C-alpha cells in the first residue's frame, strides 16, 4: 500500500513540474493507440446507452422526484397539491387531457417562480411564444381575423 501511495505522490509531483512532457506523452500515446481508443469509446457508448434505457424505465418515479426537486424545488406532494388546487385540470385550457405526457410545471424563466400546472401543449405554446403576452394576443387576433375572413357560410 505504501508503494502505491508513493508512486501516486511522485506521479502527481512530476505532472505538476513537467506539464509539457506529460502533454507530449499523452499525444504520442493517443497517436499510437487511436483506433483502440475509438473502438473502446464506441463500445462503451453502446453499453452506456443500453444501461440508460433500462435505468430510465425502472427508475421513472425516482427520476420524476429528482427532476421536481432540482428544477423547481418541489416535492411530489407539493406538485399534487398544486394540481388539486386547479381541480386536476390544466391551468390554461382547463382540460385534463395530458396528451400522453402528464401534467408539467409552468414557471417564469426569469424569476423561476411557479405559475401553475399545464398540459404539454399549453406549456409548449407558451414556450414558443417566449412567455410574451403581447405575442399571444397578436396570435389570437390573427386567428380570429383570418377565421372570420375564411368562413364559407
Amino acid at each position: 500500500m505504501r508503494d502505491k501511495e508513493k508512486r501516486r505522490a511522485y506521479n502527481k509531483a512530476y505532472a505538476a513540474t513537467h506539464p509539457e512532457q506529460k502533454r507530449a506523452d499523452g499525444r504520442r500515446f493517443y497517436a499510437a493507440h487511436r483506433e483502440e481508443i475509438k473502438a473502446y469509446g464506441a463500445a462503451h457508448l453502446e453499453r452506456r446507452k443500453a444501461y440508460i434505457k433500462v435505468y430510465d424505465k425502472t427508475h421513472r418515479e425516482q427520476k420524476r422526484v429528482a427532476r421536481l426537486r432540482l428544477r423547481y424545488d418541489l416535492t411530489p406532494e407539493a406538485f399534487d397539491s398544486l394540481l388539486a388546487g386547479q381541480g386536476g385540470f390544466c391551468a390554461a385550457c382547463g382540460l385534463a387531457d395530458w396528451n400522453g405526457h402528464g401534467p408539467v410545471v409552468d414557471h417564469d424563466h426569469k424569476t423561476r417562480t411557479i405559475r401553475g400546472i399545464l398540459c404539454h401543449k399549453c406549456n409548449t405554446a407558451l414556450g414558443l411564444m417566449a412567455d410574451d403576452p403581447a405575442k399571444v394576443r397578436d396570435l389570437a387576433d390573427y386567428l380570429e381575423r383570418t377565421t372570420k375572413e375564411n368562413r364559407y357560410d
Side-chain angles (χ1 to χ4, degrees):
M1 191 69 168
R2 282 186 166 214
D3 291 338
K4 199 175 197 179
E5 289 171 5
K6 284 182 184 177
R7 196 172 342 119
R8 275 193 192 137
Y10 172 80
N11 287 341
K12 191 173 183 180
Y14 182 84
T17 56
H18 298 83
E20 291 300 320
Q21 183 63 38
K22 289 294 286 183
R23 215 172 287 124
D25 291 347
R27 285 192 198 107
R28 275 195 300 278
F29 181 85
Y30 183 76
H33 299 89
R34 179 175 289 142
E35 294 307 315
E36 296 168 57
I37 293 169
K38 284 185 178 181
Y40 175 80
H44 179 72
L45 180 63
E46 291 306 313
R47 284 194 309 271
R48 182 81 178 132
K49 282 181 181 177
Y51 173 80
I52 289 171
K53 195 173 190 178
V54 170
Y55 184 89
D56 285 353
K57 286 181 182 176
T58 57
H59 294 80
R60 187 168 283 143
E61 184 58 23
Q62 287 105 322
K63 289 184 68 150
R64 175 182 172 264
V65 169
R67 189 172 42 253
L68 285 172
R69 184 177 50 79
L70 291 172
R71 288 186 185 169
Y72 312 110
D73 197 25
L74 270 181
T75 63
E77 294 79 19
F79 177 89
D80 293 340
S81 175
L82 280 172
L83 186 59
Q86 296 174 191
F89 301 102
C90 171
C93 69
L95 300 176
D97 178 17
W98 305 114
N99 310 310
H101 293 277
V104 295
V105 177
D106 175 44
H107 66 285
D108 186 315
H109 288 258
K110 292 176 186 165
T111 65
R112 307 286 299 157
T113 56
I114 296 171
R115 294 186 285 220
I117 308 297
L118 302 179
C119 67
H120 178 70
K121 286 182 180 179
C122 289
N123 193 51
T124 302
L126 276 179
L128 291 172
M129 294 288 113
D131 293 347
D132 184 355
K135 285 184 181 180
V136 176
R137 282 188 204 95
D138 291 344
L139 189 61
D141 291 343
Y142 164 79
L143 189 59
E144 287 174 351
R145 188 175 61 250
T146 57
T147 302
K148 289 176 186 173
E149 292 172 2
N150 296 327
R151 284 207 175 136
Y152 297 106
D153 293 331

